[in-house]
Amino acid sequence: MKLILELSGEHPAIPVEEVRAFFPIYEQNTQVVITEVPSVSDLDRFAYTHAAMTCLGTCHADQDSFIQMLQNLDLSIQKPFCGRVKKMVDHGMETPSAYLEKLIGFHIKGQVSVSSPEKIFRAVIAGGTCYFGELVWELDRTPYHARKPGNRPFFHPGVMMPRMIRALVNMSGAMPGEWILDPFCGTGGTLIEASLIGCRAAGTDADPEMIAGSRMNLPDAMTGTADARYLPFPDGSIDHVVSDLPYGQSVTIIGSGLSGLYQQALLEIKRVVKEGNRSVLVTHQDIRQLAGQYFDIIGYYEQRVHKSLTRRILVIK
C-alpha cells in the first residue's frame, strides 16, 4: 500500500529514519515521505509519524495545479467527507488553507460534512509540492502521555520520554519476537517500549536500586544487576542493543571512569549482538571515533535537550 506519511517536526531526521528502518522511502520532503507498507496497522509502532494518507496525487504548490489535480482525480464519494490542509514551514503555497479546503469539497462529488465526516481528504504542502490523499491513520498520543516517566510506579529524573525511546527502538529495526537488550536499563523505559511492540526485553544495570525500580515498572522483563563490561549473555545471543549510556552524573559507574566504561561496554555489545544487526546508542558526547573501531556507523543524529545537554544518537552495525 503506497502511503503519504506526515511526520513530526520535532527533529529533522529521526522521524524519517524511524520509517526507513522498515519501509522504502520513494520521496522525501519537509515532514513528508512517500513509502509503501503491507498494512496500515504496521504504522502503529511509529512514534514520530503523525498521519498517513493513501497516495492519490501530487502537484506543484499553486492553486491552478491543485485544481487541475482534483479535476483529474474525478473523485466521487458516497459517505460524508471533508477536506483538510496542512502547510509545513516551507510550503510555498500562497492560497489560504481554508480556501484550499473549500476547493477539495467543491471538486469531490458527494456530501461535505465538516463537523462529522466519515472520510477525510488531506493535503500536505511542503517544499513547493502538494501531497494529496485520503486519511487512513492518525497517531494516538494518549498512551505515550500515560506512560510518562512520572506516571510509573518508580521514577528517577533525567530519563527520556516514551516517544523518543520508541523511535530509538524502531531505528534499530527490531521485529516482534527479537531480543532487545539495554545494558544500562535504569528505570526500564527501553524495556517498556520494546515489549509493547512485541519484542523480548532484557535489561541490566550496575545499580541495584535501578533494577528494583525497573522490575516495579515492568515486572515481566528479564532484568538483573550486572556490569556492562561483563554482560551475562552468550556470544551472539541478542538481536539488538538500544541504550542511553551513562553520562557520569548521578549514575553508578564501575571501573576506570566513563571512557573506560564506554570502550569495554562497546566490546561487550559487539560480542553479544548477532553479527550484522543494528543497535542504537545514546551518549552526551560524540563517541563516533571510538565506536568506529568496533562497528560500522550507519547513522548519527544530534538532539539538543537543553543548554548543557545534547544527545548524540548512534546507529551502529
Side-chain angles (χ1 to χ4, degrees):
M1 178 183 298
K2 195 173 184 181
L3 296 177
I4 301 163
L5 303 186
E6 178 192 328
L7 306 179
S8 166
E10 294 168 67
H11 191 278
I14 290 173
V16 178
E17 298 310 316
E18 185 184 21
V19 174
R20 200 193 305 274
F22 297 94
F23 306 123
I25 291 180
Y26 302 127
E27 186 174 337
Q28 178 181 341
N29 210 321
T30 304
Q31 293 180 237
V32 179
V33 296
I34 295 179
T35 186
E36 191 159 355
V37 304
S39 170
V40 171
S41 63
D42 293 327
L43 302 176
D44 291 341
R45 68 178 293 161
F46 292 143
Y48 287 136
T49 295
H50 284 176
M53 294 80 72
T54 56
C55 189
L56 294 179
T58 64
C59 68
H60 189 268
D62 66 76
Q63 182 174 309
D64 290 343
S65 298
F66 188 71
I67 292 172
Q68 187 64 57
M69 177 186 68
L70 292 172
Q71 290 175 340
N72 291 341
L73 288 171
D74 192 26
L75 296 172
S76 180
I77 305 301
Q78 302 302 315
K79 297 180 179 180
F81 75 94
C82 75
R84 293 179 182 167
V85 173
K86 175 67 176 290
K87 290 182 177 181
M88 302 308 180
V89 64
D90 61 347
H91 57 87
M93 184 77 146
E94 295 182 0
T95 308
S97 296
Y99 187 71
L100 294 173
E101 291 173 352
K102 290 180 179 179
L103 288 174
I104 294 171
F106 179 78
H107 287 282
I108 295 178
K109 302 178 184 71
Q111 177 187 350
V112 175
S113 174
V114 176
S115 59
S116 55
E118 294 185 37
K119 285 184 177 289
I120 297 172
F121 291 90
R122 189 171 177 89
V124 179
I125 306 167
T129 299
C130 175
Y131 301 87
F132 183 74
E134 181 187 341
L135 182 70
V136 292
W137 180 90
E138 284 188 286
L139 175 67
D140 181 5
R141 295 177 177 82
T142 306
Y144 289 103
H145 292 312
R147 295 197 301 274
K148 290 191 299 185
N151 293 336
R152 298 173 191 159
F154 180 82
F155 171 73
H156 191 271
V159 298
M160 285 190 288
M161 299 299 285
R163 286 180 68 211
M164 184 64 192
I165 298 173
R166 173 67 68 86
L168 299 178
V169 170
N170 285 334
M171 288 165 66
S172 77
M175 299 298 292
E178 292 187 326
W179 278 104
I180 287 185
L181 168 65
D182 185 351
F184 302 96
C185 69
T187 63
T190 298
L191 311 184
I192 292 170
E193 296 306 316
S195 297
L196 286 170
I197 59 170
C199 292
R200 294 182 285 181
T204 63
D205 201 286
D207 188 344
E209 181 186 359
M210 292 297 106
I211 290 300
S214 182
R215 288 171 177 167
M216 291 172 61
N217 290 337
L218 190 65
D220 295 335
M222 178 189 291
T223 54
T225 305
D227 184 345
R229 301 174 303 163
Y230 309 102
L231 292 170
F233 302 99
D235 296 0
S237 59
I238 299 297
D239 294 291
H240 311 272
V241 164
V242 179
S243 190
D244 185 10
L245 275 59
Y247 298 166
Q249 299 172 350
S250 302
V251 295
T252 298
I253 296 176
I254 300 174
S256 57
L258 200 59
S259 59
L261 176 63
Y262 281 4
Q263 183 171 21
Q264 292 174 78
L266 286 170
L267 281 168
E268 276 294 87
I269 291 169
K270 182 175 178 64
R271 180 185 67 80
V272 302
V273 172
K274 294 175 181 177
E275 186 175 355
N277 282 14
R278 290 186 179 195
S279 291
V280 181
L281 304 178
V282 181
T283 64
H284 77 298
Q285 57 183 262
D286 187 350
I287 63 166
R288 280 179 289 180
Q289 185 173 359
L290 175 61
Q293 298 176 30
Y294 312 111
F295 301 95
D296 292 330
I297 298 171
I298 59 176
Y300 175 78
Y301 315 95
E302 294 188 356
Q303 182 193 43
R304 188 175 185 274
V305 181
H306 49 72
K307 63 180 181 180
S308 61
L309 176 61
T310 296
R311 292 192 184 111
R312 271 81 177 185
I313 300 165
L314 270 181
V315 184
I316 56 177
K317 186 175 181 180

